[in-house]
């Protein structure tokens, strides 16, 4: 423990951010970058959690590439990890705040956010879409990775401060 009485951060804790062009090639690149980061940092995440996080990143980057590239030629991916949560966020400069479509089995697409919401819910996490200070948006999902995660991370909703100690990432 440090002088303040709190435990020192685990070796895997931190915030990482990278940008990529808003092109289809960035989707698998973002997925690989997140997978490699989780492995390199030694995050205590089982295969199902890693799969869920990678699917969420794929869906969110795909949405930015398909729907925001005209106004946002670059997409940012952020991964924030603390003792109990992994938070992935995708930011672009398009002001439109998307809504998850309901299941319409006649459609062949358009359900990426619905999928993100359901994966997040099943994992015991939370997700949201918020505007950025620059007029764009950030879509994020926070999933618990350890047994000591609270049932509902009430303060996971402020992406502007990813390392704020009072909220899970």
């Amino acid at each position: 423990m440090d002088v303040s009485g709190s435990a020192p951060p685990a070796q895997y804790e931190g915030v990482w951010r990278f940008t990529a062009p808003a092109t289809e090639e960035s989707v698998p690149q973002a997925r690989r970058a997140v997978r490699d980061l989780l492995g390199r940092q030694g995050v205590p995440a089982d295969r199902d959690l890693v799969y869920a996080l990678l699917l969420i990143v794929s869906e969110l980057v795909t949405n930015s590439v398909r729907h925001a590239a005209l106004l946002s030629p670059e997409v940012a991916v952020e991964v924030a990890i603390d003792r109990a949560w992994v938070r992935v966020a995708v930011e672009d400069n398009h002001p439109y705040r998307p809504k998850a479509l309901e299941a319409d089995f006649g459609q062949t697409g358009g359900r990426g956010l619905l999928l993100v919401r359901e994966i997040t819910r099943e994992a015991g996490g939370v997700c949201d879409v918020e505007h950025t200070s620059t007029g764009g948006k950030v879509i994020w999902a926070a999933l618990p990775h350890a047994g000591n995660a609270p049932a509902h991370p009430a303060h996971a909703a402020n992406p502007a401060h990813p390392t704020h100690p009072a909220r899970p990432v």
Side-chain angles (χ1 to χ4, degrees), residues 57-147:
V57 167
S58 292
E59 289 296 331
L60 296 181
V61 173
T62 297
N63 282 352
S64 284
V65 166
R66 289 189 180 158
H67 304 294
L70 184 62
L71 295 177
S72 184
E74 196 170 71
V75 61
V77 177
E78 183 176 278
V79 180
I81 306 165
D82 74 6
R83 289 187 187 273
W85 295 92
V86 177
R87 180 179 171 273
V88 293
V90 174
E91 181 179 336
D92 62 51
N93 289 321
H94 197 290
Y96 175 69
R97 183 181 171 130
K99 294 181 178 136
L101 298 177
E102 295 305 315
D104 177 355
F105 298 107
Q107 284 184 300
T108 58
R111 292 186 294 268
L113 288 180
L114 178 66
L115 181 60
V116 167
R117 186 175 65 197
E118 289 305 308
I119 290 169
T120 302
R121 183 188 59 76
E122 286 181 16
V126 292
C127 60
D128 201 1
V129 179
E130 298 182 0
H131 291 287
T132 64
S133 61
T134 59
K137 68 182 166 304
V138 61
I139 306 174
W140 59 266
L143 305 181
H145 70 78

